[in-house]
Amino acid sequence: SYTTDTKSREENKKTLESLYSLSVDITKIRRLKEWVLLQDVAYVKEIAGILQEMGADETTVANILERCPEAILHTPAEINSQRALWQLVCQNEKQLIKLIEQFPESFFTTEYHQNQKANILFFQELGLKNTIITRFLTSAPNIFYNPVEKNKNVIETLQRNYLKLGGSEANMKIWILKLLSQNPFILLNTSTTIQENLEFLQKNNFTDQEVLQLLSKLKGFIFQLNSTIMQKSMLFSKNIFKCSDQELKQLVLKCPALLYYSVPVLEERLEGLLKEGISIAQIRETPMVLELTTQIVQYRIKKLSALGYDIKSGNLESLNGTKKDFEVTFGKIQSKKERPIFNPVAPLHIED
């Protein structure tokens, strides 16, 4: 609803004066979103006043308006409604202002207010904790822009399939909440996509129990794929590892990344490993190493080599895992290397 034609228009002097009085760095706004300064109507003092009421000091207000200058184009009524909405899940205004400072764009998107409200209430009914909902509001705000019926539909499809795949009624709620907490973007998919991807796995001879296992391991990311990508990735892996359908299935269960990553990504990662002198047989033995980027693999091999550990002759388990897992493995290898080897039956060489 705002014009972005900047050629023939002048900056609004009143807006500039109000921003200067709040110690806002105008050059930042000019560089990022100059169009905001050209609008005839802006609510600089009013929006700053609301933020101050919530406990924001001068620096915080300036920081928020520099990062999200379009905040001043919203009416005080819109911002107060948004404030009341976010208070449904925030412990207090101190936490709220902290979130606004970190994620101003999420807070100042007011066009979907009714959808946001309906979705917050739905997530609370579903049993999601407020801390999780605030995390969604800031890191995955677009799931709140969906009409609540669409999100309900996706959740119902997941619940129905969970039971159909042999999941128990008693564990269903925990499963759904865990899946949502790990990957709220599931809700951006359609019920049809979810259905198609589950059917694809079943057509490829994964048992119901194995499909459930994959869903949990992939944290729901499987729903962001399509059957064509998965088919190509599986075919690529089958050719590279020269394995049967049954062996391929076991590899995928061991390393769902073989299903999730596209062929170009898998090719690049394989190439990186082969350049380091690692064999296809080693990768087939520990396929989880393909979950790591080439840069991470190179860094870890370098660190292990410095300890005299030859990755080419060992297995690749020591490369695997999160950063924390690797640090633990590295620490164990390092302490083993530093520990003096004492042989009690070796003769002592004592100088005369």
Side-chain angles (χ1 to χ4, degrees):
S1 62
Y2 309 114
T3 173
T4 51
D5 176 19
T6 57
K7 285 175 191 165
S8 58
R9 306 199 56 190
E10 282 185 7
E11 290 179 351
N12 183 327
K13 286 192 174 68
K14 193 181 168 196
T15 301
L16 292 179
E17 283 164 17
S18 301
L19 289 168
Y20 276 126
S21 71
L22 292 163
S23 308
V24 172
D25 185 343
I26 308 279
T27 55
K28 276 188 184 175
I29 297 179
R30 282 198 183 110
R31 196 170 65 244
L32 295 169
K33 292 175 181 174
E34 194 194 13
W35 58 272
V36 171
L37 304 173
L38 309 177
Q39 305 307 315
D40 296 331
V41 180
Y43 302 92
V44 183
K45 285 178 180 167
E46 293 88 339
I47 302 307
I50 293 171
L51 293 171
Q52 284 158 348
E53 259 177 49
M54 284 191 260
D57 57 20
E58 191 181 314
T59 313
T60 305
V61 170
N63 188 20
I64 291 169
L65 298 185
E66 282 162 12
R67 285 191 53 201
C68 185
E70 59 269 41
I72 63 174
L73 303 178
H74 292 291
T75 66
E78 284 173 331
I79 298 310
N80 276 322
S81 294
Q82 201 70 343
R83 175 185 177 179
L85 183 62
W86 281 49
Q87 278 174 326
L88 292 173
V89 288
C90 284
Q91 293 165 346
N92 49 44
E93 295 213 312
K94 191 181 173 186
Q95 188 203 5
L96 176 52
I97 205 70
K98 205 174 168 185
L99 287 174
I100 297 171
E101 189 177 11
Q102 287 175 294
F103 307 96
E105 288 86 358
S106 300
F107 179 78
F108 289 107
T109 301
T110 62
E111 294 89 323
Y112 306 94
H113 184 81
Q114 288 311 317
N115 283 359
Q116 284 181 327
K117 187 174 183 177
N119 279 307
I120 285 174
L121 297 173
F122 167 58
F123 291 143
Q124 285 177 328
E125 279 168 29
L126 204 60
L128 276 174
K129 290 182 179 156
N130 284 342
T131 47
I132 304 282
I133 300 173
T134 49
R135 202 181 79 213
F136 288 180
L137 276 169
T138 52
S139 59
N142 37 352
I143 67 169
F144 291 87
Y145 308 158
N146 285 338
V148 71
E149 289 72 28
K150 185 200 175 290
N151 286 341
K152 278 183 179 172
N153 204 349
V154 170
I155 296 292
E156 281 162 13
T157 304
L158 287 168
Q159 289 170 329
R160 196 169 54 247
N161 279 292
Y162 178 75
L163 294 174
K164 207 192 281 180
L165 291 165
S168 72
E169 192 86 51
N171 290 333
M172 184 172 70
K173 187 180 175 181
I174 297 164
W175 183 80
I176 287 282
L177 295 181
K178 192 178 177 188
L179 205 59
L180 271 180
S181 319
Q182 290 171 328
N183 180 15
F185 298 104
I186 294 171
L187 295 168
L188 297 180
N189 299 299
T190 62
S191 305
T192 317
T193 309
I194 290 172
Q195 205 66 51
E196 281 171 2
N197 287 359
L198 291 173
E199 281 166 15
F200 168 82
L201 292 173
Q202 287 169 317
K203 277 176 197 162
N204 278 275
N205 301 320
F206 287 94
T207 65
D208 290 353
Q209 198 53 46
E210 286 166 346
V211 173
L212 268 186
Q213 191 186 324
L214 277 173
L215 293 188
S216 302
K217 270 194 174 182
L218 276 166
K219 303 182 171 87
F221 286 112
I222 195 164
F223 301 131
Q224 281 154 253
L225 303 173
N226 62 54
S227 51
T228 314
I229 290 174
M230 292 192 279
Q231 189 71 61
K232 284 179 180 172
S233 297
M234 282 176 75
L235 191 61
F236 174 78
S237 299
K238 190 180 178 181
N239 291 336
I240 285 292
F241 296 121
K242 296 182 171 52
C243 55
S244 67
D245 288 344
Q246 187 54 33
E247 287 167 333
L248 176 64
K249 200 175 84 160
Q250 291 313 311
L251 281 175
V252 169
L253 288 169
K254 216 172 176 184
C255 174
L258 294 176
L259 195 65
Y260 178 67
Y261 289 122
S262 65
V263 171
V265 172
L266 291 172
E267 268 178 332
E268 186 211 337
R269 293 186 179 185
L270 264 167
E271 209 175 293
L273 289 162
L274 296 174
K275 270 183 190 167
E276 295 293 336
I278 291 164
S279 68
I280 291 283
Q282 281 176 295
I283 300 167
R284 182 173 166 168
E285 195 58 42
T286 317
M288 293 79 76
V289 77
L290 291 166
E291 290 171 4
L292 306 169
T293 65
T294 305
Q295 289 81 354
I296 291 172
V297 166
Q298 286 169 342
Y299 167 77
R300 291 183 181 184
I301 289 175
K302 206 174 174 181
K303 277 196 84 170
L304 290 168
S305 298
L307 294 179
Y309 185 90
D310 182 15
I311 200 77
K312 288 173 232 172
S313 56
N315 72 30
L316 304 182
E317 287 294 340
S318 48
L319 287 178
N320 274 345
T322 60
K323 187 181 177 185
K324 198 176 172 184
D325 296 334
F326 175 71
E327 292 304 333
V328 171
T329 306
F330 180 78
K332 282 178 185 169
I333 295 170
Q334 193 174 30
S335 60
K336 204 180 268 183
K337 181 144 181 69
E338 287 168 359
R339 205 179 299 132
I341 299 165
F342 173 65
N343 183 348
V345 295
L348 293 175
H349 299 287
I350 302 166
E351 288 180 18
D352 296 332

